[in-house]
Amino acid sequence: MHYFVSDIHLGSGDKAEQRRVERLFLDFLAKIENDAETLFLVGDIFDFWFEYKQVVPKGFVRVLGRLAELSDKGVRIVMLTGNHDMWVGNYLTEECGIELYTKPQTFMLVDKTIFVAHGDNMNIKGQPILRLMNTIFRSRKLRWLASGLIHPNCFMRFGKWWSGKSRKSHNDDYGPEVLDYLVDYALEYGLQHKVDYFVFGHLHYAADVKSNQRVLFMGDWHKKPSYVQLDNNGEIELKFYN
């Protein structure tokens, strides 16, 4: 079985909320342990992650330990970074055995071609400000300068503020129309490439869109936890976890 999950946002909310979501995710990892071949972490697993050469964010030890244990048992763990955890280094790979990707990827699983991406920084040609912000935040030079010039305590304080501001942009009142630009991306991409399924996170709205392409979106684990499951017959399904 192959599992996909996104937008856990570990570390967001007050202490009680942080612990509640952490326990929920740990429970999910325990449930899939016996049949998981691959676990895809499709971005924003952490609410904010910035990795210095010798320093990583405080917390998450239970989750990181559990992921390392799953990896040691032979579960392939793949992480595609999102806009909240794009500043990863080699720590998660060296300590937890996680394959890391910073761009959308296509995977062949049980004879199905799966396009996987967090969903940020995609189909934004008509949004120059957003494109500029993405270029700045993803700049390796900026990351190098920040890690050398800014004390970790200061940068983590900024990161938590920025992450909270970004998270608040996801209103509770929006509907399926919020998915349209990524559905359009999938339809256009599918004209040029053979893809069986698209899997996205980012928008905090869980949905299984069936049109000319099958596009699955996973939601936010603080509100309505969901995940995608691909079985060994190539059947894919969006599921909710509670």
Side-chain angles (χ1 to χ4, degrees):
M1 201 77 74
H2 306 276
Y3 295 95
F4 304 77
V5 64
S6 72
D7 298 282
I8 312 295
H9 286 280
L10 292 168
S12 70
D14 59 25
K15 291 294 183 184
E17 175 66 2
Q18 291 176 29
R19 190 68 76 207
R20 181 188 72 83
V21 173
E22 181 187 49
R23 286 173 179 152
L24 189 65
F25 186 46
L26 287 168
D27 184 63
F28 168 77
L29 294 177
K31 291 283 175 58
I32 69 170
E33 176 183 5
N34 292 329
D35 67 357
E37 295 179 46
T38 315
L39 171 62
F40 290 89
L41 307 173
V42 191
D44 288 1
I45 303 305
F46 306 97
D47 196 51
F48 180 71
W49 182 278
F50 188 90
E51 188 174 320
Y52 287 76
K53 188 173 182 180
Q54 299 294 335
V55 177
V56 296
K58 181 180 179 181
F60 321 123
V61 291
R62 295 170 182 83
V63 170
L64 294 177
R66 189 69 176 131
L67 292 174
E69 184 179 358
L70 289 174
S71 177
D72 289 344
K73 290 182 177 180
V75 178
R76 180 188 180 192
I77 303 178
V78 178
M79 179 175 176
L80 294 95
T81 57
N83 51 307
H84 284 254
D85 47 21
M86 68 178 87
W87 290 316
V88 295
N90 57 8
Y91 179 79
L92 296 175
T93 299
E94 292 181 352
E95 294 297 322
C96 304
I98 296 174
E99 292 178 37
L100 281 173
Y101 298 94
T102 57
K103 295 180 180 179
Q105 299 292 318
T106 301
F107 299 92
M108 181 64 70
L109 301 169
V110 290
D111 296 326
K112 298 292 182 180
T113 303
I114 321 292
F115 181 97
V116 186
H118 182 63
D120 66 306
N121 200 27
M122 299 176 70
N123 207 10
I124 58 173
K125 293 179 181 178
Q127 303 180 60
I129 295 177
L130 184 56
R131 289 179 63 190
L132 176 62
M133 289 178 61
N134 272 279
T135 300
I136 292 172
F137 278 113
R138 293 174 186 277
S139 166
R140 291 186 178 182
K141 289 183 179 179
L142 175 66
R143 178 180 167 187
W144 178 79
L145 284 171
S147 64
L149 299 176
I150 304 176
H151 191 279
N153 289 346
C154 296
F155 206 92
M156 289 304 298
R157 192 175 299 118
F158 161 77
K160 289 181 178 180
W161 168 82
W162 170 75
S163 293
K165 184 177 180 181
S166 172
R167 197 170 54 256
K168 287 176 183 176
S169 67
H170 294 277
N171 298 320
D172 293 333
D173 338 1
Y174 56 46
E177 67 279 356
V178 74
L179 311 175
D180 288 349
Y181 80 99
L182 285 179
V183 173
D184 291 343
Y185 177 92
L187 293 174
E188 184 178 347
Y189 188 90
L191 293 175
Q192 306 294 328
H193 308 82
K194 181 189 179 303
V195 177
D196 294 293
Y197 307 125
F198 289 83
V199 178
F200 294 115
H202 183 51
L203 295 173
H204 294 195
Y205 191 99
D208 185 349
V209 179
K210 301 173 184 177
S211 58
N212 291 340
Q213 294 288 340
R214 184 85 176 273
V215 191
L216 298 101
F217 295 88
M218 297 171 288
D220 171 18
W221 272 59
H222 284 261
K223 297 174 183 175
K224 196 171 182 180
S226 60
Y227 63 99
V228 166
Q229 175 182 295
L230 176 73
D231 67 24
N232 290 328
N233 295 317
E235 296 296 323
I236 200 165
E237 184 178 1
L238 172 68
K239 293 191 171 187
F240 293 92
Y241 193 79
N242 52 49

